[in-house]
Amino acid sequence: MIHSLQIKPPVIAHRGASAYAPENTLSSFTRAAQLGIQWVEFDVMLAACGTPIVFHDETLDRTTDRQGDIGGHPYRYLQTLDAGAWFHSKFAGERIPTLAQVLALLKEAGMCANVEIKPLPGQDKETILATLKTVSTYFTQPNTSILFSSFSIDALKYLREASKECLIGFLMHDWLDDWKHVADELQCVSMNVNEEIMTKERAQAIKQAGYQLLCYTVNHAERAKELYSWGVDAVFSDCPDKVLG
Ligand code: G3P
Ligand code: MG
């Protein structure tokens, strides 16, 4: 089991530098690199053909030029959608990237990734297996440049079963009193927690238990400063340049 997770500077570009470029696109990751950010976070699900893609919502409505569920569409269809014009006309023609395309870019740039597994309903196991396979093609596993996370405890259980040594962060949106039990069972290296539920006491408890503490999503410098002062190791931000202090 490796326990090493180094996040420097202590900020993770959330869905890439998503305040400046359309989220979860190659442009948003390139923008993060240009800002000097080492770590990016993005969301991974499977297209209907089994290809892992980088996309956040279960529907196409918010971040593409089409509507309806993303589930059921193979990548050969999804790659024809415009995933940039909704953000700004200068990003028109931006595509939904595959996980492989994003990892290739990050590897080339010498960057690190928090791969958030966001399985479509009922796809925990296949999403984990396909993601692990693709990640291993670009980053030898285990690798301290890759932190996996998920809100799905089932997905994280499959992941730990499949890989004894990968770095796992337990994502917590609402506070769970038995968080430590779950994190210990999964042999997590970090707790990735909604900043809205973070308090000084909770931060201390997580740090005292020996976990790295990452908080999402923090877009204001003052809040970031407060969280850092409580021992938070890094924050996820849409505008990572603004929260470095
Ligand atoms: O991984 C941190 C954060 O991305 C979790 O929430 O909905 O933005 O994927 P969401
Ligand atoms: Mg995410």
Side-chain angles (χ1 to χ4, degrees):
M1 187 72 192
I2 19 172
H3 284 287
S4 163
L5 182 64
Q6 285 276 330
I7 302 183
K8 289 208 167 47
V11 61
I12 301 164
H14 181 240
R15 309 180 196 171
S18 58
Y20 309 121
E23 66 178 56
N24 284 337
T25 64
L26 297 183
S27 288
S28 67
F29 303 121
T30 301
R31 190 79 189 100
Q34 289 165 346
L35 293 171
I37 303 302
Q38 182 74 8
W39 280 79
V40 297
E41 182 264 4
F42 51 82
D43 309 284
V44 176
M45 60 179 66
L46 295 185
C49 55
T51 301
I53 58 168
V54 174
F55 198 79
H56 183 274
D57 295 357
E58 289 189 13
T59 68
L60 300 167
D61 307 21
R62 187 178 60 86
T63 60
T64 78
D65 58 342
R66 305 292 165 84
Q67 299 210 319
D69 290 346
I70 189 163
H73 296 298
Y75 188 65
R76 73 170 179 278
Y77 169 77
L78 295 174
Q79 71 179 347
T80 67
L81 308 192
D82 189 311
W86 68 274
F87 185 84
H88 191 283
S89 54
K90 72 180 174 194
F91 293 104
E94 188 81 42
R95 299 296 166 203
I96 297 172
T98 62
L99 173 61
Q101 288 167 342
V102 172
L103 294 173
L105 182 155
L106 298 179
K107 190 173 181 190
E108 178 70 25
M111 292 168 76
C112 304
N114 174 198
V115 179
E116 183 193 336
I117 316 275
K118 237 186 219 332
L120 289 172
Q123 296 189 358
D124 292 280
K125 194 168 187 178
E126 49 268 64
T127 308
I128 285 294
L129 295 178
T131 300
L132 262 184
K133 190 170 171 210
T134 305
V135 169
S136 335
T137 310
Y138 292 87
F139 292 83
T140 51
Q141 288 293 306
N143 193 307
T144 52
S145 297
I146 302 289
L147 172 68
F148 295 93
S149 64
S150 186
F151 288 117
S152 164
I153 295 177
D154 282 344
L156 293 181
K157 283 182 180 163
Y158 288 126
L159 176 60
R160 182 50 83 215
E161 235 175 76
S163 168
K164 294 280 167 277
E165 296 191 305
C166 69
L167 299 185
I168 296 182
F170 176 33
L171 261 176
M172 193 160 62
H173 193 71
D174 299 309
W175 188 256
L176 282 183
D177 283 334
D178 68 342
W179 64 268
K180 187 173 178 306
H181 174 74
V182 179
D184 285 352
E185 285 260 295
L186 291 166
Q187 296 182 280
C188 291
V189 69
S190 67
M191 292 296 300
N192 302 8
V193 186
N194 178 3
E195 69 88 15
E196 292 172 15
I197 60 165
M198 189 45 59
T199 63
K200 191 175 181 181
E201 292 67 34
R202 287 173 173 177
Q204 282 170 348
I206 289 169
K207 293 302 296 174
Q208 273 163 17
Y211 290 97
Q212 296 235 10
L213 175 54
L214 317 178
C215 286
Y216 68 91
T217 304
V218 182
N219 290 333
H220 296 285
E222 278 309 303
R223 178 60 170 160
K225 210 167 145 191
E226 180 176 49
L227 292 166
Y228 291 138
S229 78
W230 293 347
V232 169
D233 294 288
V235 298
F236 296 86
S237 182
D238 302 328
C239 43
D241 52 327
K242 298 260 167 69
V243 297
L244 280 173

